[in-house]
Amino acid sequence: ADGDPADLSWRVCCVIPGLACTVFTFFVIRSSDDSPKGNYNKRKQLGLMQKPSAGKHITAALRDHNTWLLLIQYGCCFGVELATTNAAALYFQGEFELGTEAAAALASTFGFMNIFARGLGGFLSDISNAYRGMRGRLCWQLVCFFLEGVFVMVFARARTLAGAISALMTFSIFVQGAEGSTFGIVPYLNPAVTGTVAGVIGAGGNVGAVIFSIFFRQMEYRQAFFLMGACTSAISFMSLGIWIKGYEGLLFQRRIPPGPDEEGRGTADDGAG
């Protein structure tokens, strides 16, 4: 493989992002704040920030069933994205008998959707929230995941190259849109530990990628893509079970903790009974 341009190209591609990340890291450390409210050291000196307990934060995040539902869903969008990124070029190469360069170029259309689709998913989640509140966000979440799965299955069944490319690009829009939609919901779960909740849910994407990668090692690529799509459409209905304190769910009314007066009246009623 010495001197083979196709073999050398992917190695060179690893250098450019690495250098870019190194340079960007320097500017982030020098120029940015630690959080929207300022730098941690300064906030601690002013007594505005207490020393966090990692164990308590993680426990608070994991005790909320919504965290687990979104973790599984994120595994079926970001996990699907990673698995597809790894498998798409080989799929085009094997199913449509393309060369390495052509297959990689077609597979890259999947990643190009990232330029706008993830932000679009978050934007449409915000628009849905403006019209229907949290119920609107959850409805958009369900739609994104369901259509993502549908178009993965269409991609797996496409018999022409044009059909496969069209399905891939459409399915990519909903994959990225589902990622944006998911993190449009995350900040509402537990505002006090949003960073921890985001980290736990984000880890679900990597877990999903590992699981779906096993699909591609154990079965034919068409079958693996179809099964991955079926799983994604199925978990879209987990959105029905998301019920965040203080907000309505798709199947539930707004859940508001009782106030002191209501608690007092409840106690008096119990005593009278």
Side-chain angles (χ1 to χ4, degrees), residues 26 41 81 108 124 126 146 154 191 200 204 247 254:
F26 172 78
N41 288 336
E81 178 186 352
S108 68
L124 291 177
D126 290 341
F146 185 78
V154 171
V200 171
Y247 300 93
R254 186 186 302 270

Side-chain angles (χ1 to χ4, degrees), residues 18 28 33 40-41 44 69 72 117 122 200 208 210 241 256:
V28 169
D33 295 330
Y40 292 151
N41 288 336
K44 288 177 181 178
L69 294 178
I72 294 170
V200 171
V210 171
I256 302 178

Side-chain angles (χ1 to χ4, degrees), residues 33-40 42-43:
D33 295 330
D34 295 333
S35 74
K37 294 182 179 180
N39 290 317
Y40 292 151
K42 187 174 182 179
R43 288 179 57 78

Side-chain angles (χ1 to χ4, degrees), residues 205-244:
N206 300 86
V207 174
V210 171
I211 294 172
F212 290 132
S213 294
I214 294 173
F215 287 10
F216 288 96
R217 286 200 293 269
Q218 298 298 323
M219 57 187 75
E220 294 182 355
Y221 275 26
R222 280 191 183 274
Q223 185 180 0
F225 272 117
F226 189 86
L227 183 57
M228 186 168 69
C231 291
T232 302
S233 288
I235 65 91
S236 69
F237 294 100
M238 286 186 174
S239 300
L240 299 174
I242 297 176
W243 192 20
I244 302 170

Side-chain angles (χ1 to χ4, degrees), residues 58-271:
I58 294 173
T59 300
L62 296 180
R63 288 179 62 184
D64 187 350
H65 80 283
N66 297 303
T67 301
W68 292 99
L69 294 178
L70 289 175
L71 182 151
I72 294 170
Q73 288 193 322
Y74 198 65
C76 288
C77 57
F78 188 62
V80 166
E81 178 186 352
L82 293 179
T84 302
T85 299
N86 290 333
L90 294 174
Y91 177 75
F92 280 119
Q93 203 172 359
E95 293 293 333
F96 299 101
E97 299 180 352
L98 300 177
T100 302
E101 293 85 352
L106 292 178
S108 68
T109 60
F110 179 81
F112 284 149
M113 298 299 103
N114 240 327
I115 296 174
F116 70 92
R118 189 177 302 193
L120 180 64
F123 172 72
L124 291 177
S125 179
D126 290 341
I127 295 296
S128 301
N129 179 69
Y131 282 97
R132 296 292 305 277
M134 181 56 65
R135 189 164 286 169
R137 288 191 189 274
L138 295 175
C139 185
W140 172 238
Q141 178 89 342
L142 191 155
V143 169
C144 273
F145 277 96
F146 185 78
L147 292 181
E148 173 195 337
V150 167
F151 281 103
V152 176
M153 291 187 282
V154 171
F155 173 69
R157 290 292 183 259
R159 296 298 175 181
T160 66
L161 183 59
I165 295 171
S166 299
L168 179 68
M169 294 177 70
T170 307
F171 127 58
S172 179
I173 290 173
F174 286 105
V175 170
Q176 320 298 344
E179 293 168 7
S181 173
T182 298
F183 276 91
I185 297 170
V186 166
Y188 294 89
L189 265 61
N190 191 334
V193 293
T194 296
T196 304
V197 172
V200 171
I201 292 173
N206 300 86
V207 174
V210 171
I211 294 172
F212 290 132
S213 294
I214 294 173
F215 287 10
F216 288 96
R217 286 200 293 269
Q218 298 298 323
M219 57 187 75
E220 294 182 355
Y221 275 26
R222 280 191 183 274
Q223 185 180 0
F225 272 117
F226 189 86
L227 183 57
M228 186 168 69
C231 291
T232 302
S233 288
I235 65 91
S236 69
F237 294 100
M238 286 186 174
S239 300
L240 299 174
I242 297 176
W243 192 20
I244 302 170
K245 186 178 293 184
Y247 300 93
E248 70 277 11
L250 286 176
L251 298 179
F252 309 101
Q253 296 299 318
R254 186 186 302 270
R255 184 174 62 174
I256 302 178
D261 294 340
E262 293 176 356
E263 290 180 353
R265 283 200 299 272
T267 304
D269 291 342
D270 291 342

Side-chain angles (χ1 to χ4, degrees), residues 7-53:
D7 182 69
L8 183 62
S9 59
W10 71 267
R11 301 177 189 275
V12 174
C13 286
C14 293
V15 175
I16 297 174
L19 291 175
C21 288
T22 302
V23 173
F24 187 67
T25 299
F26 172 78
F27 284 107
V28 169
I29 294 174
R30 288 291 303 272
S31 305
S32 68
D33 295 330
D34 295 333
S35 74
K37 294 182 179 180
N39 290 317
Y40 292 151
N41 288 336
K42 187 174 182 179
R43 288 179 57 78
K44 288 177 181 178
Q45 292 172 1
L46 296 173
L48 300 175
M49 181 177 175
Q50 297 179 349
K51 185 176 180 180
S53 168

